[in-house]
Amino acid sequence: WYLKINPNGRIPALTDKLEDGQEVNIFESGAILLYIVSKYDKGHKISYPVGTKEYWESVSWLMWQMGGLGPMQGQANHFFSAAPEKYEYSLNRYVNESRRLYRVLETQLSSNPHGYIVGDRVTVADIAVWPWAQAWSESSFFLFCLI
């Protein structure tokens, strides 16, 4: 039954109704965030209007998290904590790429006087990045990464 909601069989997934009453299934965290903003954030409390510079920057950072930070950090954690054997090449590859991505994020955050990834408010980019940043600082390989 779940594969009808998410053909990939993973979480997260969302089922909602469109304005015309049709049921829609949305899967993948980034798609869900964009859907929620599109449908429910009409006042732009966690977004910017479509077509603005800030909108496209926040979408870019959301894609950065989905295509970079999440996968790289997930693999680093896997090879450090769950792999049955320690593969030095794999561990170094993903840990070093995670470090690089956090330097990119730090540069971005440092350049914004508001302290957000984009603009003057929390956006889908911040919402997507925060759990990974929090997990990084609490992960079992965090101390390893400081070496």
Side-chain angles (χ1 to χ4, degrees):
W1 66 266
Y2 189 72
L3 292 176
K4 290 180 181 175
I5 297 170
N6 182 348
N8 194 34
R10 303 282 190 227
I11 57 172
L14 171 75
T15 298
D16 198 15
K17 291 209 184 268
L18 298 173
E19 283 75 20
D20 65 4
Q22 279 189 334
E23 188 173 274
V24 63
N25 298 317
I26 312 293
F27 59 96
E28 297 297 333
S29 56
I32 291 169
L33 286 168
L34 291 175
Y35 175 81
I36 289 169
V37 162
S38 173
K39 185 166 181 185
Y40 297 105
D41 189 30
K42 302 298 184 193
H44 301 292
K45 296 199 184 291
I46 61 166
S47 68
Y48 289 92
V50 173
T52 62
K53 175 183 179 238
E54 292 85 358
Y55 171 82
W56 288 113
E57 287 177 354
S58 65
V59 169
S60 293
W61 282 100
L62 174 60
M63 297 303 136
W64 173 86
Q65 181 279 318
M66 293 171 48
L69 184 64
M72 294 302 112
Q73 187 172 326
Q75 291 297 319
N77 192 45
H78 168 77
F79 282 106
F80 187 80
S81 301
E85 296 179 40
K86 296 294 184 219
Y87 297 101
E88 186 176 343
Y89 172 81
S90 302
L91 185 57
N92 288 335
R93 159 82 175 102
Y94 294 113
V95 166
N96 289 334
E97 181 61 5
S98 294
R99 286 179 182 150
R100 186 191 73 76
L101 290 165
Y102 275 105
R103 286 191 301 272
V104 170
L105 179 61
E106 178 62 27
T107 299
Q108 179 66 14
L109 290 169
S110 297
S111 71
N112 186 345
H114 301 288
Y116 303 109
I117 296 174
V118 175
D120 62 355
R121 66 191 78 151
V122 169
T123 66
V124 292
D126 300 279
I127 293 167
V129 168
W130 173 251
W132 289 98
Q134 186 64 26
W136 175 267
S137 68
E138 295 178 2
S139 69
S140 59
F141 69 97
F142 177 69
L143 292 175
F144 172 81
C145 296
L146 296 175
I147 299 171

